[in-house]
Amino acid sequence: MNRRLSPGPPACLLVALIASTAARAGQGNDPDLLALYFEAQMTQAEKLAVVDGHFGVPISGFYTIPPGALGSAGFVQGATALGLPNLQESDAGTGVADPTGTGYTMPVRGTAGYSTELPSGLALAATFNPSLAYTGGTMIGEEAHREGFNVLLAGAMDLTREPRCGRNFEYAGEDPLLAGTMAGNLIAGVQSRHVMSTIKHYALNAQETGRMVLSADIGEASMRQSDLLAFEIGIEIGQPAAVMCSYNRVNSVWACENNFLLNQVLKQDWNYPGWVMSDWGAMHAVTDANVGLDQESGDVIDQLLHGQRFFTNLGAAIAAGTVPQWRLDNMVLRILRSGFASTAYAYPPVITPIDAAADEAVSEKAEEQAAVLLQNTGNLLPLSKSIGRIAVIGGNAINGVITGGGSSQVIPVGGPAPPIDTATGLPHPVVWNPSSPVYALPAEAPGASITYDSGSNTAQAVASAAAADVAIVFVDQPMSEGYDAPDLSLPPDEVTGANQDALVEAVAAANPHTVVVVESGGPVLMPWLGQVAAVLQAWFPGAAGGPAIAHVLFGDVDAAGRLPITFPASTAQLPRPVLDGVDNPNTPFDVNYAIEGAAVGYKWFQRQNYVPLFPFGYGLSYTRFSYSKLRAIGGETINLSFIVTNTGARAGYAVPQAYLALPPGVAEDTIRLIGWKKLLLQPGQSARVTLAADPRLAANFDATAQLWRTIAGPATVRVGASSADLPLSAPVTLTAGTLQP
Ligand code: BGC
């Protein structure tokens, strides 16, 4: 074989080249053998290049992007002479982000920089529908592929230990089974389109304040039963090409130089075959390679933050014996293996226009199932199609729906809706998807008179509400990477500066038929809850948020979302009522996650006997369900079945959930989600649901013996509509057993 093709084969030849080379070598499709075959032919310089990731965005006067980089988060030079492609990396989990397209400027990628945004990661988790997460993953994976990327930095899923965290919108909630399942399915969907996905940020990157300096402190057993279990499940389901280690320290050791996390847990215990990439600027030494880090990302960010690009010196470190050669070989093998296993090498991206209409439909379906009906007094919703007068107020609802800021920022097709760059005090500008809820309403109620008031003048808003049959108030909470909300209250209106809580109260006082639609990154307080009729939690609703919200409000679809996260009644209920590091975020500090340990979210609320504003798993439907005939069998895990029946008059989505309730004292977390099903049931229809619990959910991690141990003894299986509404229960006996980690 002539291994030096000059200047390098065009993309369309790569498939043929790889296939014929591999076939000649008799390696078939086995990714490990293919990786070995190609790694053996690489020069040292090629190997060093493959582990050294570059930032993909120019920094004026300081940094020029490498030739060939598409201008997104990252670029890694491949051994192209051998047919191994460059890595073109883009954020993130709700769509192909454009880091330069903040709304002031045209994206550097031109119109290709515009992409379709899914509802936020938290919204996807609220669908409780793994197949929707998979489909969403295929949509964003396909767009990435058509925009020239073969790596999508998706799969964000740090467990929500801090409801004020500015990145909760990117994550998948507070429960390890739910978060791992939903993120894992999204990742699998992305990779089905020949685009490698990450899972991130490993691990315990639960708050943004001080993320570059803090140490997340927690015992091994607690971590294995919570955050690490979420990653373990996500990796099993999604088989991501790469794991991104996080900025923070874990038990004092940087996550990207953490032998325990990277070598022991990930690579040894979980047998993870892919590669570990650093978050951008999260490396601390060239010797991080010795404890499991396989690739530096965005190396100029390391230079800016830490004074050097670490893997630029890797060759010298190997020559000096500080890092062994076998490590470099293994780092390369892991990257190559993922390239083959994910099929990303075999099917290089082909720059093609995205199918914006089809992709928007995927996003719309996801939001329709993500919106959670929190309150519906007097069955005000769904609204009648023959309603006369609707007053829509606030939330920039005439222009669009809000999105989350930071590296995951997707720039919508056609550009953001106005306003652009409102000063919020957030580190990233707020971008609005041009999907107007107001303009989606006439299709729902063709005869209605619809008014819109921005809410900037309370008296005017009240007057328009008083003159209408129903008032729909939109409120929002901008959130972003690099930021945590000071508390759980709604901030002043993003656009008008109005006090949103006061606006809702004033409108509700003028019209008893007030509906509040909340577009937030996570939980918010609702001091007006007792005064309004209905509340729809719409999250960050994505590219088709306007029509999706309208469809739910008018009952074209059932209210189908459930909360993937507890809504606290106050910050006093949190394990850390005051956010750690808030006064001095740049000085190293510790966050004591041992307070709640494995009892994250609803598990903490149950342990403390706190009544939240809304519990995990909660969400109303437009119909009603009953649950019966629970049968549960114990042993080293739990098998159960029950019947769920639609007892109402409309078709609707049931999301029955099964929990394991353990006697007090036998575990840190004595209530655990062990399974759920999402079912569309016609009026009167029943379905039998059968579930088998993952045995790890019936076990505690024994850190001394380094294995999972079933919690032998009596326990209870409980089934119902949410973590706090579990009408069925059945005793089970768990028998002693162990599982390897
Ligand atoms: C974020 C990552 C992201 C990376 C590249 C970092 O700031 O934490 O989630 O993938 O930037 O843009």
Side-chain angles (χ1 to χ4, degrees), residues 22 33 40 94 127 179 202-203 314 387 392 407 423 444 610 638 675 686-687:
L33 292 179
T94 60
T127 68
Y202 186 69
L314 184 57
I387 192 164
V392 185
S407 57
E444 299 296 323
Y610 289 153
I638 295 154
S686 289

Side-chain angles (χ1 to χ4, degrees), residues 193-214:
R193 307 316 303 154
H194 318 302
V195 171
M196 293 186 259
S197 178
T198 54
I199 193 166
K200 69 187 188 183
H201 310 85
Y202 186 69
L204 287 138
N205 187 174
Q207 67 174 56
E208 289 297 282
T209 305
R211 68 175 171 166
M212 304 269 182
V213 296
L214 70 80

Side-chain angles (χ1 to χ4, degrees), residues 419-604:
I420 291 172
D421 188 31
T422 309
T424 55
L426 268 66
H428 299 276
V430 177
V431 171
W432 296 82
N433 256 313
S435 179
S436 158
V438 172
Y439 288 117
L441 293 177
E444 299 296 323
S449 125
I450 300 167
T451 59
Y452 175 71
D453 188 292
S454 73
S456 61
N457 178 320
T458 310
Q460 272 174 27
V462 165
S464 77
D469 298 313
V470 64
I472 309 176
V473 189
F474 283 78
V475 294
D476 50 65
Q477 177 205 37
M479 290 293 248
S480 130
E481 182 177 346
Y483 168 83
D484 294 320
D487 53 40
L488 295 173
S489 298
L490 283 169
D493 183 284
E494 212 317 269
V495 177
T496 63
N499 177 325
Q500 300 193 86
D501 286 331
L503 180 65
V504 173
E505 274 164 22
V507 169
N511 190 325
H513 296 149
T514 293
V515 181
V516 181
V517 178
V518 183
E519 294 172 21
S520 69
V524 293
L525 301 180
M526 302 179 186
W528 31 259
L529 193 62
Q531 289 136 266
V532 304
V535 181
L536 184 69
Q537 173 63 40
W539 314 107
F540 294 158
I549 290 169
H551 295 160
V552 179
L553 290 176
F554 280 87
D556 299 343
V557 292
D558 190 26
R562 303 293 185 266
L563 293 181
I565 193 172
T566 305
F567 275 43
S570 77
T571 46
Q573 293 182 326
L574 303 179
R576 286 158 295 281
V578 176
L579 194 67
D580 283 319
V582 75
D583 292 330
N584 217 346
N586 301 319
T587 307
F589 61 94
D590 294 85
V591 184
N592 182 14
Y593 290 123
I595 295 173
E596 74 274 34
V600 180
Y602 65 94
K603 302 170 181 191
W604 164 260

